[in-house]
Amino acid sequence: SCFPYILFPLHLISPTSCFPYILFPLHLISPTSCFPYILYPLHLVSHTSCFPYMSYFPYVLFFSSAKSCFRHLKFVVINSLYQSIFHFSISLFIATNICETIVWKAFSPATINTGKGTEFEGAVIALFHLLATRTDKVRGLREAFYRQNLPNLMNLMATVAVFLIVIYFQGFRVDLPIKSARYRGQYSSYPIKLFYTSNIPIILQSALVSNIYFLSQILSSKFAGNIFVNLIGTWAESGYQRYPIGGLCYYMSPPETIGHIITDPIHAIIYIIFMLGSCAFLSKTWIDVSGSSAKDVARQLRDQQMLMRGHREKSMVHELNRYIPTAAAFGGLCIGALSVLADFLGAIGSGTGILLAVTIIYQYFEIFVKEQSEMGGMSTLFF
């Protein structure tokens, strides 16, 4: 493939102005065409003025060539059917991949020569192997907990701890009492969770950092030694991997070990500030872009003929503004803090990956519980 096509995520395009919110496009490589096209979600473009005959299609497509139109229409139809038939989206595959990494590094039977002898890659299997082969059992136990360059039991315990902390924070929420404007005596509540924007801040932050890394690596390979390129990032190679050793990219990357935090505390401080600030800002911005701000929630409640108890219809926006922006910003801040904590503790799969896995699994668990309660309980699974 010669050129990428661009798939813009939902909620990023305004009907009146198509480009102000296109911040993090997902670049994909077309396996069948050398020409790029752009795939826009339908409801984000004014089809009454610009595209009057596209209301029956799930997407509006702009192809660079007519020849590629029929070739890629098949992809759109399959994708639409997939999303209609299967409730689970790509997030399930993300969680599965992260969980696979954690399980593999915990129970991997692969052997690696570390210079001190052959050891198993999996932390749990390495524990029994070291206890069985080392004459000094205390030393073998210490190696199983603190060995370097391979997964150890401390990494595994940190992963479990971060999982439990994220699940605990998922229960923090404020229930705002609401009532029906049509039927008397019908009361309910509107929950505003601490993680109001869920895992969106860490996804956007990860996409931002990945794009900066990608740009920096390209510039450093083409213009090595340039002072402006070095300010963005300087890179070193270790085997088949490249890692930042200076510039902006270095301070945006997490410290690898506790020793690195001690030797270079400025790096750790800047990384913490960047993670907390970027996650809070992106979370706060996302509620305005995605249609979940106080004005949008108030409009949804009015459409459902629901009112907040003790408040008039005009004062709902003011009352929701007391909770939603704070929950979005503080929730993004907590997401960034948990990611930093996981990175500093050396959790398996990186802090970003663990947060994505936990939040995705918890979302599907909530969906599962809700569906079971609507269908009559857990007995429907068996009968």
Side-chain angles (χ1 to χ4, degrees), residues 20-86:
Y21 300 112
I22 300 174
L23 301 178
F24 305 101
L26 173 64
H27 297 278
L28 303 173
I29 302 299
S30 171
T32 56
S33 174
C34 290
F35 299 93
Y37 66 83
I38 303 176
L39 178 59
Y40 293 100
L42 175 67
H43 72 278
L44 302 179
V45 185
S46 177
H47 59 277
T48 56
S49 58
C50 300
F51 308 98
Y53 302 109
M54 300 299 292
S55 59
Y56 294 101
F57 290 89
Y59 296 98
V60 176
L61 291 89
F62 299 91
F63 293 98
S64 60
S65 63
K67 183 178 180 181
S68 63
C69 177
F70 295 101
R71 184 182 302 162
H72 296 291
L73 183 60
K74 178 170 61 176
F75 163 78
V76 176
V77 173
I78 293 174
N79 182 67
S80 178
L81 290 174
Y82 173 81
Q83 293 184 356
S84 300
I85 296 174
F86 299 99

Side-chain angles (χ1 to χ4, degrees), residues 282-337:
L282 292 173
S283 180
K284 183 70 167 53
T285 305
W286 179 255
I287 63 174
D288 298 323
V289 175
S290 62
S292 55
S293 63
K295 292 182 179 179
D296 299 315
V297 172
R299 184 174 62 251
Q300 294 170 9
L301 292 176
R302 284 195 298 267
D303 294 340
Q304 298 173 5
Q305 296 186 353
M306 302 294 292
L307 297 173
M308 294 184 63
R309 295 169 60 182
H311 297 275
R312 297 180 180 272
E313 184 176 344
K314 296 182 179 179
S315 63
M316 283 199 304
V317 176
H318 176 72
E319 184 66 17
L320 289 171
N321 266 324
R322 294 177 54 192
Y323 297 96
I324 291 180
T326 304
F330 188 68
L333 192 72
C334 292
I335 286 285

Side-chain angles (χ1 to χ4, degrees), residues 121-140:
E121 182 182 8
V124 177
I125 298 180
L127 168 65
F128 295 100
H129 175 258
L130 291 171
L131 289 177
T133 56
R134 295 292 190 269
T135 56
D136 188 351
K137 304 302 180 182
V138 176
R139 182 178 179 183

